[in-house]
Amino acid sequence: MLFESTGIADLLQWANRFLTDSGGDIAYQVTIATTQSHHVVHGYSGLKLLANTRLIDLDPTIKRHTIMVTGRGGIEQERSIIADWLSLAAPNAIRTASICGGALLLAQAGLLEHRKATTHWRLINLLAEQYPNVSVERGPMFVQDGPVWTSAGVTAGFDLTLAMIEQDCGYHLARDVAQEMVMFLRCPGGQAQFSRYRLPETPELGPIRDLQIWIQEHLNHDLSIERLADRVSMSPRNFARVFSKQTGITPAKYIEEIRLNAARDKLEQSMDRLERIAQDTGLGNSLNLRRVFERHLQVTPKAYRERFAIRQPSAENLS
């Protein structure tokens, strides 16, 4: 995605512009490097970006202020080249950062050992599984642990960049850049990644799979361990053990996640009152609905609806 690199470059150049307009010197000189044998970067969009240089032409022993890795790389050979270069270059830089899947390259280079880090929500589990010594943060848009910064999805890299500008040049400059780009300087309410939890289904046909289907159709029923165990003719203790073994998740967590996902769907696709949504999804009342949203997403149901609800047609379009 080309706007990872170009968006970050624009933010840094706006910082330079504000500095020079006030009589100061520029703070950033941006170089975009590609792993290709040529300088042309082919974007997913079909557009092309002309990079300043190639990675193989950059001396990793030169002192640099900041190294930023955008993306994960296409093939394993490419990833190994980047990771090897990073392992040599990072000790000579003041800070190193990744955008989206780039965190996996930082981890491959050994830069995330015993550090906190995050990445795009689709890659969170992969990062945790492949690099158990990394303390994976599943919620934040970006994480700073000493000289190493990691961010979630593509636009989270813009939040990370604004935070770097604030660290380098102060609050007022970062605020001015954010306002120029019509961005929040800091995401409201400690915004988390709005990932969809992929609810695991048991790979085995049988009572647990049937129960999962039944649960999805009866979210406003009593879904206590005792009631669920009774439906599959098991003791509560044995049911909890079998369910967790077959799905990799406890019944309680499965229930809360599936109710949360259902509530998100209703907030996105309907104008039902919060109390009604809470009742329909088995969360009881609007207060409990709010608690679940704030615990999992760090945002209220009302704010979530404002961001993700289906756009209602205007009166002009209806006439």
Side-chain angles (χ1 to χ4, degrees):
M1 294 188 184
L2 299 182
F3 82 124
E4 287 180 325
S5 298
T6 58
I8 290 168
D10 281 338
L11 288 169
L12 297 175
Q13 291 303 332
W14 269 107
N16 284 338
R17 179 171 177 176
F18 282 121
L19 287 168
T20 56
D21 285 350
S22 61
D25 297 324
I26 65 171
Y28 303 104
Q29 181 175 342
V30 179
T31 298
I32 297 178
T34 175
T35 56
Q36 300 300 308
S37 59
H38 45 74
H39 287 204
V40 179
V41 182
H42 296 267
Y44 289 129
S45 61
L47 300 176
K48 299 177 179 65
L49 170 68
L50 187 63
N52 302 100
T53 187
R54 303 177 303 169
L55 187 66
I56 58 173
D57 295 328
L58 289 181
D59 184 352
T61 64
I62 292 177
K63 292 189 179 299
R64 294 179 172 85
H65 188 280
T66 303
I67 299 169
M68 301 182 78
V69 182
T70 61
R72 187 185 172 200
I75 59 176
E76 189 55 43
Q77 181 181 9
E78 182 182 22
R79 294 166 188 165
S80 296
I81 291 171
I82 299 170
D84 291 345
W85 188 90
L86 285 171
S87 64
L88 296 173
N92 301 306
I94 292 176
R95 66 189 174 202
T96 306
S98 66
I99 312 301
C100 197
L104 286 152
L105 296 178
L106 266 58
Q108 189 173 340
L111 304 181
L112 299 184
E113 287 288 300
H114 307 294
R115 292 190 184 277
K116 295 179 181 179
T118 192
T119 187
H120 189 281
W121 58 269
R122 290 187 185 276
L123 300 172
I124 283 281
N125 289 337
L126 182 63
L127 178 63
E129 291 166 4
Q130 290 192 352
Y131 302 97
N133 290 334
V134 179
S135 178
V136 177
E137 300 281 321
R138 296 176 179 272
M141 300 297 283
F142 69 87
V143 172
Q144 178 191 2
D145 190 334
V148 181
W149 301 56
T150 53
S151 74
V154 176
T155 56
F158 303 160
D159 299 311
L160 177 149
T161 303
L162 285 173
M164 285 184 169
I165 293 172
E166 183 174 5
Q167 183 183 76
D168 297 339
C169 306
Y171 163 79
H172 291 95
L173 180 65
R175 179 203 60 194
D176 291 346
V177 173
Q179 290 179 347
E180 183 68 31
M181 303 295 283
V182 196
M183 294 174 59
F184 288 110
L185 177 55
R186 299 183 185 87
C187 290
Q191 176 181 316
Q193 297 189 54
F194 292 106
S195 58
R196 274 285 199 271
Y197 186 85
R198 293 183 176 182
L199 291 164
E201 290 187 352
T202 173
E204 304 174 18
L205 296 175
I208 299 299
R209 170 78 69 83
D210 294 340
L211 180 66
Q212 287 182 302
I213 296 172
W214 183 87
I215 288 171
Q216 294 178 34
E217 298 172 349
H218 299 84
L219 291 179
N220 60 350
H221 282 50
D222 178 3
L223 300 181
S224 64
I225 295 292
E226 291 74 17
R227 289 297 181 90
L228 295 176
D230 185 60
R231 283 196 63 85
V232 292
S233 303
M234 295 181 183
S235 68
R237 182 176 180 180
N238 188 47
F239 165 71
R241 180 185 63 80
V242 172
F243 189 96
S244 299
K245 182 179 180 181
Q246 291 191 17
T247 65
I249 186 175
T250 65
K253 182 173 177 59
Y254 181 86
I255 297 302
E256 183 163 270
E257 291 285 358
I258 202 168
R259 281 173 165 163
L260 172 63
N261 281 356
R264 291 172 71 169
D265 287 341
K266 288 183 176 294
L267 287 168
E268 293 165 4
Q269 300 171 26
S270 79
M271 293 306 295
D272 290 350
R273 296 173 62 87
L274 298 185
E275 197 71 25
R276 173 68 181 274
I277 291 174
Q279 293 171 1
D280 288 348
T281 57
L283 291 171
N285 54 57
S286 58
L287 178 59
N288 195 41
L289 176 71
R290 181 184 179 115
R291 287 172 177 166
V292 170
F293 265 72
E294 290 180 339
R295 182 166 65 253
H296 287 270
L297 303 175
Q298 290 78 57
V299 69
T300 66
K302 180 181 178 182
Y304 184 89
R305 170 174 270 167
E306 289 172 350
R307 298 183 195 190
F308 295 108
I310 292 176
R311 188 179 301 276
Q312 299 298 314
S314 65
E316 296 177 355
N317 293 334
L318 292 175
S319 60

